[in-house]
């Protein structure tokens, strides 16, 4: 059972999300909040696995709340809720530690898939959005391929293949299927990639892969 919390200042949005998520037998809605400050208090009490978090809220917005949550011991996974996938605030939320985002017009089955992926520690970024995130994060500047290639030189051939799939926005399950590996082996490879590249962020791995010209 995945413990889920909904944070949004619009009661109608909360009602809609409650109807979507409440109908899935694997999800348990353990709390709702209308602003970030209220959410922080409730999250400490109910200890959700995943928080679906609106960005624009009164009192305390989703960015400040995400940053505060990431400073807590064993924080929940945060899916930011937004209207536009290229919103600069979404990019800031990802840099602060959010594991991905949900568009408010996402079909209900995809929303449920996103929450399940987040609970497993997988990023919620489609391939098309991954490219937008990378472009925005790098300021669309021409990369220094030599530096990126030097950083990736320490990866084994298999790790490099996994890194490329990460850059394409593939989930762990998709990587496992494409590279004929178990999901556990994919996770082990990603852990080693993070260690070698000095990061714990899949988006940053994707940026290095793109800068190295491997896409």
């Amino acid at each position: 059972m995945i413990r889920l919390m909904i944070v949004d200042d619009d009661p109608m949005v909360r009602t809609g999300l409650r109807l979507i998520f409440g109908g899935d037998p694997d999800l348990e809605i353990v709390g709702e909040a209308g602003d970030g400050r209220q959410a922080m208090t409730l999250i400490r009490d109910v200890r959700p696995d995943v928080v679906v978090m609106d960005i624009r809220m009164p009192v305390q917005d989703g960015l400040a709340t995400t940053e505060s949550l990431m400073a807590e011991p064993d924080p929940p996974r945060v899916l930011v809720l937004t209207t536009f996938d290229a919103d600069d605030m979404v990019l800031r939320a990802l840099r602060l530690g959010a594991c991905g985002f949900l568009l408010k017009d996402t079909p209900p089955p995809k929303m449920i898939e996103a929450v399940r992926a987040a609970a497993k520690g997988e990023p919620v970024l489609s391939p098309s959005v991954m490219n937008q995130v990378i472009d925005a994060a790098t300021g669309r500047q021409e990369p220094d391929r030599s530096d990126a290639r030097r950083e990736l030189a320490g990866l084994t051939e298999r790790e490099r293949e996994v890194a490329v799939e990460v850059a394409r926005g593939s989930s762990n399950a998709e990587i496992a299927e494409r590279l004929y590996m178990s999901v556990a082996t994919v996770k082990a490879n990603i852990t080693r990639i993070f260690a070698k590249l000095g990061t714990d962020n899949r988006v940053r791995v994707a940026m290095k892969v793109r800068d190295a010209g491997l896409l």
Side-chain angles (χ1 to χ4, degrees), residues 16 27 66 68 74 78 80 88 113 118 124 130 134 159 166 169 178-179 184 203 210-211:
L27 304 182
T66 298
S68 296
D74 192 24
V78 174
V80 296
D88 178 62
E113 287 179 17
V124 182
M130 179 71 86
I134 294 171
E159 289 166 353
V166 167
R178 289 170 186 165
L179 299 182
V203 173
R210 194 200 69 160
D211 288 352

Side-chain angles (χ1 to χ4, degrees), residues 86-124:
D87 193 323
D88 178 62
M89 296 183 79
V90 173
L91 302 177
R92 290 170 59 194
L94 292 172
R95 294 188 187 106
L96 290 171
C99 68
F101 66 87
L102 283 173
L103 296 178
K104 291 188 177 182
D105 61 356
T106 299
K110 293 293 184 182
M111 283 195 172
I112 292 171
E113 287 179 17
V115 169
R116 287 176 175 163
K120 295 176 184 176
E122 298 179 8
V124 182

Side-chain angles (χ1 to χ4, degrees), residues 57-180:
M57 295 183 292
V59 184
Q60 181 171 296
D61 65 24
L63 293 176
T65 307
T66 298
E67 185 173 22
S68 296
L69 277 178
M70 293 305 108
E72 297 273 316
D74 192 24
R77 301 284 179 174
V78 174
L79 285 175
V80 296
L81 198 59
T82 182
T83 305
F84 302 105
D85 57 15
D87 193 323
D88 178 62
M89 296 183 79
V90 173
L91 302 177
R92 290 170 59 194
L94 292 172
R95 294 188 187 106
L96 290 171
C99 68
F101 66 87
L102 283 173
L103 296 178
K104 291 188 177 182
D105 61 356
T106 299
K110 293 293 184 182
M111 283 195 172
I112 292 171
E113 287 179 17
V115 169
R116 287 176 175 163
K120 295 176 184 176
E122 298 179 8
V124 182
L125 290 171
S126 68
S128 61
V129 170
M130 179 71 86
N131 289 331
Q132 292 182 35
V133 170
I134 294 171
D135 285 342
T138 59
R140 301 183 187 273
Q141 298 174 351
E142 187 64 28
D144 185 337
R145 298 203 186 283
S146 60
D147 284 350
R149 287 172 178 168
R150 189 161 45 249
E151 288 188 74
L152 295 177
L155 302 183
T156 66
E157 181 177 353
R158 200 57 161 164
E159 289 166 353
R160 193 174 295 109
E161 290 175 340
V162 171
V164 169
E165 288 298 327
V166 167
R168 289 174 176 154
S170 303
S171 67
N172 289 350
E174 289 169 336
I175 296 172
E177 182 177 356
R178 289 170 186 165
L179 299 182
Y180 305 102

